[in-house]
Amino acid sequence: QKEVEQDPGPLSVPEGAIVSLNCTYSNSAFQYFMWYRQYSRKGPELLMYTYSSGNKEDGRFTAQVDKSSKYISLFIRDSQPSDSATYLCAMKKGGSYIPTFGRGTSLIVHP
Amino acid sequence: EADIYQTPRYLVIGTGKKITLECSQTMGHDKMYWYQQDPGMELHLIHYSYGVNSTEKGDLSSESTVSRIRTEHFPLTLESARPSHTSQYLCASSEYGLDQETQYFGPGTRLLVL
């Protein structure tokens, strides 16, 4: 079993929809949780970074962590075609510099 | 935007050739990383460095080597390229000390070994 599971998609939604992207994990030592966005032919860029459980909001993006269920989510409100990309979740143990990545979910927002 | 650069961006090369993928960052970050990324798959850590003259192998078994002679430069070398090395290679850097540590990624090098 992989430490981090993420459905690769693709997930196709109409413009304006609320998007929910999710990852599950098996290692309870993970304490730091990240979401990266990767456009085609580019490197990943950090979108959200959260510590432990709870919610964090940044503009149209909300990251949610439920450590009891070992489940993290990224919500995108009012999705735009420019949000079309692959979204990778990543998580780290305390004291570690190196994250474990999910496979990424391909998101397509069509006009 | 992150100041981390990779060259070449694309490379097609024959089996058995020696190649070096370049990575440079201008942010003064002490930590640098090389990842391999195949379509639809996780990023796999190949090598990392916590500072000058410090290098470690990652989780993915690799026939590549790295060096860290200068803070800003972290090249990856394949002594003898094989078709199984065909992949995208991502370089990243990070600096710990704030509330959060962020990995900044370069644009990647797409390698095709014939």
Side-chain angles (χ1 to χ4, degrees):
Chain A
Q1 182 189 7
K2 293 181 180 178
E3 281 192 302
V4 179
E5 297 279 0
Q6 185 175 11
D7 187 332
L11 177 63
S12 181
V13 301
E15 183 176 355
I18 297 174
V19 174
S20 173
L21 304 166
N22 311 294
C23 287
T24 59
Y25 62 95
S26 57
N27 193 334
S28 58
F30 288 135
Q31 295 185 23
Y32 300 89
F33 303 90
M34 293 145 280
W35 286 95
Y36 285 84
R37 178 177 61 196
Q38 185 175 22
Y39 290 115
S40 181
R41 311 288 185 197
K42 303 279 188 180
E45 58 176 328
L46 183 71
L47 271 180
M48 301 287 281
Y49 186 110
T50 53
Y51 169 67
S52 197
S53 286
N55 292 1
K56 185 175 182 179
E57 188 173 321
D58 185 1
R60 296 185 295 112
F61 299 90
T62 300
Q64 196 171 77
V65 175
D66 182 348
K67 291 191 72 178
S68 62
S69 303
K70 298 190 178 67
Y71 189 88
I72 69 170
S73 300
L74 177 71
F75 297 97
I76 307 175
R77 291 184 298 281
D78 188 24
S79 56
Q80 302 295 310
S82 59
D83 295 327
S84 298
T86 296
Y87 291 80
L88 300 98
C89 65
M91 40 201 82
K92 288 192 303 183
K93 303 171 192 175
S96 172
Y97 298 120
I98 298 169
T100 300
F101 286 85
R103 296 171 63 183
T105 298
S106 174
L107 172 67
I108 302 167
V109 182
H110 52 86
Chain B
E1 191 166 315
D3 295 322
I4 182 163
Y5 309 98
Q6 290 185 244
T7 57
R9 293 292 313 278
Y10 305 93
L11 181 61
V12 181
I13 201 161
T15 297
K17 299 293 185 183
K18 178 180 178 179
I19 57 173
T20 296
L21 308 184
E22 301 287 348
C23 176
S24 294
Q25 49 99 2
T26 58
M27 297 171 284
H29 288 170
D30 50 358
K31 299 175 196 60
M32 296 188 74
Y33 314 81
W34 275 104
Y35 289 91
Q36 187 172 333
Q37 185 183 34
D38 294 313
M41 301 301 291
E42 302 88 343
L43 272 69
H44 289 290
L45 183 66
I46 312 171
H47 296 280
Y48 59 100
S49 167
Y50 288 160
V52 171
N53 295 324
S54 154
T55 61
E56 300 287 343
K57 288 194 173 185
D59 299 330
L60 183 66
S61 174
S62 171
E63 291 136 356
S64 58
T65 59
V66 292
S67 63
R68 189 88 182 277
I69 299 171
R70 303 197 314 266
T71 298
E72 63 271 21
H73 194 215
F74 191 40
L76 175 80
T77 298
L78 283 169
E79 292 292 333
S80 180
R82 296 214 294 261
S84 60
H85 294 137
T86 294
S87 188
Q88 172 162 260
Y89 293 84
L90 290 166
C91 180
S93 70
S94 69
E95 181 179 53
Y96 185 73
L98 302 175
D99 290 339
Q100 62 185 57
E101 181 176 355
T102 301
Q103 280 192 331
Y104 293 93
F105 284 86
T109 294
R110 287 183 176 272
L111 174 64
L112 173 61
V113 183
L114 303 175

